[in-house]
Amino acid sequence: MVTDDAGQGGTAAGQDNNAGHQGGAGHNMVQLITPAGERVSHPEYDPWVRDVSDEQLCSLYEDLVVIRRIDKEATALQRQGELGLWPPLLGQEASQVGSVRSLRDDDFIFPSYRENGVAYCRGVDLPDILRVWRGAASGGWDPYAVNMAIPQIVIGAQTLHATGYAMGIQNDGADSAAIVYFGDGATSEGDVNEAMVFAASFQVPLVFFCQNNHWAISEPVRLQSHTQLVDRGAGFGIPSMRVDGNDVLAVMAATRVALDRARRGGGPTFIEAVTYRMGPHTTADDPTRYRDPNELEDWAAKDPIGRVHALLDRKGLFTEEFEAGVRTKADAVARELRAGCVGMPDPEPLDVFKHVYSTPNSWLDRQQDHYSRYLASFGDPEGATQEEGAR
Amino acid sequence: MTQMTFARAINSGLRRSLDNDPKVLLMGEDIGTLGGVFRVTDGLQKDFGNHRVVDTPLAESGIVGTAVGLAYRGYRPVVEIQFDGFVYPAFDQIVSQVAKMHYRSRGAVKMPITIRIPFGGGIGSPEHHSESPEAYFAHTAGLRVVTPASPQDAHTMIQQAISCDDPVVFFEPKRRYHDKGEVDESLDPTSAPPMGQARVVTDGSDVTLVAYGPLVKTARDAATAAADEGVSVEVIDLRSLAPVDFATVEASVRKTGRLVITHEAGQSGGLGAEVAASITERCFYHLEAAPVRVTGFDVPYPYSRVEMHHLPDLDRILDGVDRALGRPNSLSGLEG
């Protein structure tokens, strides 16, 4: 089934809910599982997910549930003061799972700061997912251990990094690809547009994966674009697809199409995954100040987890045993996440000086030396234990 | 030894780096077929191919941002920003990404990127073609900022910058591009003085005169003129602006007791302020007078018919030397 239910405009501030604000040719939205959980056929995209077995479908469902649980646990940890901030991905699970589960291990991922579901699927250690948000590091993991770059806070900056990385893949003659995640707001940034120019000019193996979650903090997507975001691709000469971002199979199919093109030397692809950020931008945000509650309700009916649940039910796969297994897994992940968070040691004071340069720097060495002396001045010269807080 | 221009010396250094390391690649606007607007990359694309010497779209943030991705994959990109005044669209990628990725990744991701920027005035150009933005970059942790002042240094320092595992902003004094000098192309850059080390280019005993990039030649000329008046000026070429090799400057000031710093960039918050403050901290009791700055003004770079008033020249530097020596000068009688 193909639906043109764009849902682009949002209903806040009395705006029309449809694509009228975002004119242009428009793309139909690829959907393979309806919100009611019905598997619908699509001649062009079905072949790309024909191999997805019932077992794999169950595994995708587990991913979705576990990621939602991670999100919930992290939000709780923030509320309890264990994290400084958390950017929830509630509602975007299918976009992240469908895309990342299409990648090979040698493909390289460039995320923004909200791809915590991608990080989980990529095998990032659970505490490392939280490290940035706890304030214990600026980047949580070793990118080369999982072939996934560390989070990027500057909006859209990573699209250029991904393009450059893909230029490197091309120079190396490898058949891997890069994928870059960004949001609807990022499409307004110069860097994203420059990245598309470079990627198209050099025909690099790269997937631009835009999660259109409809809101850039308080700014609706209609403020970013007068056309559907997917239409931007055509202007750069980049083949583009618009998929239901709450449909894990549709996202998987689209990503596989794009990766196949990349590996065959066909250059970049732009995917607009139409989804919705059901929570706040971050735990510091209050969406009730700018968002119509009816809009949230509309999108809750299109929930990415509910529809796979319904589909599995229809297939007779959603047994009590399966459900219990998924719950047990989610509980275990949440426990490990929490333990890893509260047990995470603070960095040492002198760690602030580490890794600024990879070779010695006389300015920094001097400052570190002076600060070391300063810190040492609090120590007991006799070597006795220093009392906490003593000055 | 070969006589060659400053521009040719950099070209030769780039060629050696491309030859020695297949991970080195050059990117920038017009650097391929044209050989760069200053011809610094002349002939390199022809010899190394368009995957090693890449003509890019006209997008400065794109040039630097893609270099970040290439470095992520183990390349050592050398990017050319066509003119100093065009680096600002890339500023975010340089200071937020290039400079910080190593720190952000706790050492996992190296950023051995060299950012070549022709800088400084004196060539009669329109707006945006004569700026001195070095202090912005010197202020940014994670970057190294260097500028050669002679063809030999240009040849060796570009190779040192490319082989450095940290990102290097490499300022090329464009009004010296056509100056000629002796260059030993066979000199091993690992045995040459490191790019982070300042160099005493003229020995002296009365005043230490610190310069870098395009003004090193002017400073040497000033020292020669001062010698005619019986004043012995020691000229130091900083070479590295971040970090500054304060030990070399300090040793000189301990000897002379007087310090003059000159640069084309505006005065406030510039390298001169940093050198004056740091040297005052380090050798306050050896100073016979307050450090003196002879700099450009805090104005947008002026139009070419009056740029000579903005740029420190031999006479303004000598006036600064007089101030440091307490001799009659243009500010005599002025308090504060």
Side-chain angles (χ1 to χ4, degrees), chain B residues 269-317:
Chain B
L271 260 296
E274 178 56 41
V275 173
S278 289
I279 291 302
T280 303
E281 281 176 2
R282 288 169 188 244
C283 35
F284 183 72
Y285 295 106
H286 296 270
L287 283 166
E288 304 284 344
V292 170
R293 286 175 288 172
V294 181
T295 70
F297 305 117
D298 291 334
V299 300
Y301 193 85
Y303 16 96
S304 59
R305 291 283 178 182
V306 289
E307 69 178 336
M308 72 289 271
H309 293 287
H310 174 77
L311 296 170
D313 62 6
L314 184 147
D315 289 324
R316 271 179 70 197
I317 291 173

Side-chain angles (χ1 to χ4, degrees), chain A residues 308-378:
Chain A
V308 183
H309 180 163
L311 176 63
L312 293 177
D313 229 2
R314 283 166 191 264
K315 286 171 162 272
L317 297 169
F318 202 84
T319 61
E320 271 183 35
E321 188 192 355
F322 171 66
E323 191 183 10
V326 171
R327 196 185 306 123
T328 303
K329 170 79 176 178
D331 286 347
V333 168
R335 261 198 312 277
E336 189 186 336
L337 188 78
R338 171 168 288 272
C341 180
V342 298
M344 193 182 298
D346 281 349
E348 294 297 319
L350 292 181
D351 279 2
V352 300
F353 296 101
K354 275 190 190 162
H355 306 307
V356 182
Y357 298 89
S358 55
T359 52
N361 175 292
S362 58
W363 286 359
L364 195 58
D365 288 351
R366 182 180 167 94
Q367 288 177 14
Q368 178 170 348
D369 177 52
H370 287 189
Y371 193 61
S372 300
R373 287 162 183 265
Y374 170 77
L375 287 179
S377 71
F378 295 104

